[in-house]
Amino acid sequence: MIIHYEDGYWGVQSSSKKPIHLIFWSKGIGRWICDCKDFEYRRAQSGDNCKHIKMLLEFMASARFETLTEVIRSGSAKI
């Protein structure tokens, strides 16, 4: 599930279906940031994206404009 919050914050449900990870674009460092442990302990230093960021970017790249607009309006979409 993809969730859109205010001010460009997004949520991506983890594969275990329990936590929803918060993702946002950091203007200061010019990249997406995720609150998952994989990103925090591994990906942040290496410059790679975690699976949650990859899911969000894939959704954004493949979704039609109308779908993105609906997610922003309604707040969520199942993927």
Side-chain angles (χ1 to χ4, degrees), residues 6 30 41 48 56 74 76 79:
E6 293 180 7
Y41 294 117
D48 293 335
L56 177 62
S74 69
S76 68
I79 58 168

Side-chain angles (χ1 to χ4, degrees), residues 1-65:
M1 176 177 290
I2 299 283
I3 300 169
H4 179 260
Y5 301 109
E6 293 180 7
D7 300 326
Y9 283 81
W10 294 83
V12 175
Q13 192 166 28
S14 75
S15 57
S16 67
K17 304 288 185 213
K18 292 193 179 176
I20 294 178
H21 295 286
L22 185 65
I23 299 170
F24 67 96
W25 178 259
S26 172
K27 292 178 187 177
I29 60 174
R31 67 175 296 188
W32 290 98
I33 304 293
C34 181
D35 70 352
C36 74
K37 298 294 181 195
D38 180 45
F39 184 85
E40 182 179 344
Y41 294 117
R42 292 178 204 85
R43 311 294 177 163
Q45 290 80 15
S46 68
D48 293 335
N49 290 328
C50 65
K51 65 183 178 180
H52 309 106
I53 294 173
K54 289 176 184 177
M55 287 173 59
L56 177 62
L57 295 177
E58 183 178 307
F59 172 75
M60 290 177 159
S62 64
R64 294 184 359 217
F65 177 76

